Amino acid sequence: MREMNYQVNAEGRSARDVAKHDEGGAAVRQVGFIFISRYNEEEGKYRLAVRRNDRMKVEIWSDVACPFCYIGKHRFEEALSQFGHGDKVEVIYRSFQLDPNAEKHPTKDAYTAIAEKYGVSREQSIAMHGDIVRQGKEAGIDYQFDSMIMTNTMDAHRLIHFAGQYGKRDKVAELLFKAYFTDGKNVSEKDTLLAVAAEAGLEREAAASMLESEQFTSEVEEEMREANQLGCRGVPFFVFNRKYAVGGAQQPEMFLEVLDKAWKEEHPLTVLTPEGGEGLCTDDSCGIGEKNNPGIGAGGISRIRASGKPIARRRGQVELTWSPRPAAAFFSGSSVRNGPCPNYASLPESARGSGHIP
């Protein structure tokens, strides 16, 4: 028996197509399930089996220059700490630039830039940022907008991708947020990025070599295109198992609700009942007084989804279909309190140019 591992591609190619056309067989991971295709040399044919994947994936699109992304990150982490299956959730931070054309060395401070962008006074701009400061404190974040340098974040995103090779995307993202919003560092400068890399435990020389090249630029741009394809119109943007999406820095209770919903749908309850339903009360009958009533715990096994609909079966295998549309439901929070920071491309010309959209 030969077995190889493949990821389902962006077009959502079906497991059966992969099994039929990819030499050597495949273990194809889709949402909640792993399709295992093995080539039987004696029979000269492929056989497809299905087993349930016990992990959940949460992808978070964000920009280092987005204040709500920082708040949303902390609120999601609080929800994850309360989630009963947190150890089985894989969190991946994806790249998104609010303003890809932002200058690396701006000449205006945050208050002035935002005032000019939205046509308000500097005093009004300061008041707007004050509300974000308050929300940040509630999430354990110390915003220092007086010293913040609004800069281009492409190299910061490239560093996050570099860190991903060593399993440190999350740590580097957190350090970059802090450098940008609290420490007043220019996250487009090489020295700042190398200091972040070293603090995260990455090899400084390897990080420097990466920054001097164009490595990971195409990956950052591809993740931005993917976000738009998924319906992202602003960040932060949270995608759960490519099925549910949450926009904005929602409260932990909201994130916890979606985590529970996504988990239950991919891990349906297994109900053990005796054959014929003996010992089970329904709307139509009840087994009280019946002889040889074994009670619950013996007999047939059925699987139900959270909606109560049974999973179709055929010859003991689970019948599944693949939907090419990743996000079947979207939970959005577009208020000033929760964000999200709007997509730069969706803004009018008069609102573009700073890279920072509160």
Side-chain angles (χ1 to χ4, degrees), residues 65-293:
C66 165
F68 286 113
C69 293
Y70 199 5
I71 293 173
K73 180 178 186 295
H74 279 212
R75 288 177 177 174
F76 173 77
E77 289 170 347
E78 181 179 342
L80 190 61
S81 69
Q82 300 173 26
F83 183 53
H85 308 282
D87 60 329
K88 295 185 177 179
V89 177
E90 178 186 9
V91 180
I92 302 177
Y93 287 89
R94 302 293 190 192
S95 297
F96 194 97
Q97 281 191 285
L98 289 167
D99 186 358
N101 300 315
E103 299 178 358
K104 288 191 173 183
H105 300 283
T107 57
K108 301 175 182 177
D109 68 3
Y111 300 130
T112 300
I114 295 301
E116 293 180 358
K117 173 178 291 187
Y118 294 111
V120 299
S121 68
R122 181 179 171 83
E123 289 70 25
Q124 289 174 310
S125 177
I126 293 174
M128 291 165 57
H129 285 83
D131 183 62
I132 300 175
V133 170
R134 179 185 57 77
Q135 292 186 60
K137 288 182 178 179
E138 294 175 356
I141 299 170
D142 180 20
Y143 282 113
Q144 295 293 330
F145 290 115
D146 291 348
S147 58
M148 187 183 75
I149 301 173
M150 299 169 62
T151 185
N152 193 291
T153 59
M154 170 57 81
D155 288 342
H157 284 294
R158 292 202 298 130
L159 182 64
I160 292 174
H161 277 266
F162 173 77
Q165 298 179 118
Y166 307 96
K168 295 187 176 183
R169 271 199 181 204
D170 178 23
K171 187 168 186 177
V172 168
E174 180 70 24
L175 290 173
L176 285 170
F177 276 126
K178 182 176 181 294
Y180 187 92
F181 286 111
T182 301
D183 300 336
K185 302 292 184 181
N186 187 327
V187 297
S188 69
E189 292 183 347
K190 186 177 179 180
D191 288 346
T192 298
L193 295 174
L194 292 181
V196 167
E199 187 174 352
L202 298 172
E203 186 178 338
R204 188 183 180 94
E205 291 184 2
S209 177
M210 182 277 297
L211 291 171
E212 291 171 359
S213 70
E214 294 298 318
Q215 189 178 6
F216 298 117
T217 299
S218 61
E219 285 84 348
V220 172
E221 294 172 344
E222 175 58 31
E223 287 189 354
M224 292 171 64
R225 285 192 292 270
E226 187 177 18
N228 284 318
Q229 292 171 0
L230 290 171
C232 174
R233 295 295 177 265
V235 286
F237 189 69
F238 301 78
V239 177
F240 298 74
N241 270 354
R242 289 297 173 108
K243 188 171 184 180
Y244 294 106
V246 174
Q250 303 298 329
Q251 293 296 327
E253 295 78 12
M254 174 63 159
F255 288 123
L256 187 58
E257 179 183 345
V258 181
L259 283 167
D260 284 332
K261 182 177 180 62
W263 180 268
K264 288 176 181 178
E265 289 187 0
E266 304 304 338
H267 300 78
L269 179 67
T270 297
V271 181
L272 305 179
T273 63
E275 294 290 350
E278 296 173 337
L280 185 66
C281 291
T282 69
D283 290 340
D284 300 321
S285 64
C286 191
I288 296 175
E290 294 181 0
K291 295 182 179 180
N292 301 319
N293 186 339

